[in-house]
Amino acid sequence: MGALRGRSTALLCALVGTAMLVVGCGGSSDTGGSGGNTPATSASVAGTKVTATEKEYSISLSTMTFAPGVYTFEAQNAGTMPHDLTIAGPGVTQQSTPTLQPGDTAPLTATLQPGTYELWCSIPGHKELGMDVKIQVS
Ligand SMILES: [Cu+2]
């Protein structure tokens, strides 16, 4: 009886010792750095998603800070007239969404390189009325 109890205690000590060793090892390897804050991307959206809200007569983007890479501009027609979203710039020959009716949305995917890109609505007259925005990629 006494011998059995002694063996159990020894085994318990060994297990606790092992557990502490594992915890200590995990703790020492934790660098606690800032970490990469990678946004989750759904399968239907390529790269970074940026919302482009269009109305009469303006285009507002959800960000104005762009690093080189793949972006999907989600054009949202929040106005009362048909609009589209067109982009052109380094490595991107003019590319447009279909004409969007009020309330419609459509994606426009482009690979941006360092430089200046222009986003505008190609419905005649709309660009001149203010549906025109330039973005800087760096
Ligand atoms: Cu328009």
Side-chain angles (χ1 to χ4, degrees), residues 82-83 121 123 126 131:
H83 297 295
C121 174
I123 305 291
H126 289 195
M131 299 190 71

Side-chain angles (χ1 to χ4, degrees), residues 54-57 81-84 121-123 126-127 131:
E54 305 193 270
K55 60 185 199 312
E56 299 77 31
Y57 291 94
M81 299 172 61
H83 297 295
D84 72 10
C121 174
S122 71
I123 305 291
H126 289 195
K127 182 180 180 181
M131 299 190 71

Side-chain angles (χ1 to χ4, degrees), residues 48-124:
T48 304
K49 186 180 168 182
V50 176
T51 302
T53 306
E54 305 193 270
K55 60 185 199 312
E56 299 77 31
Y57 291 94
S58 67
I59 298 174
S60 45
L61 303 178
S62 57
T63 181
M64 286 303 284
T65 304
F66 296 91
V70 177
Y71 286 82
T72 294
F73 294 91
E74 184 78 12
Q76 298 186 345
N77 186 353
T80 57
M81 299 172 61
H83 297 295
D84 72 10
L85 186 67
T86 305
I87 187 170
V92 178
T93 48
Q94 190 171 321
Q95 197 177 321
S96 297
T97 64
T99 299
L100 302 174
Q101 297 305 315
D104 281 358
T105 66
L108 183 63
T109 301
T111 301
L112 305 184
Q113 304 167 9
T116 303
Y117 290 77
E118 187 170 18
L119 290 137
W120 71 96
C121 174
S122 71
I123 305 291

Side-chain angles (χ1 to χ4, degrees), residues 34-51:
S34 57
N37 186 19
T38 307
T41 51
S42 74
S44 61
V45 175
T48 304
K49 186 180 168 182
V50 176
T51 302

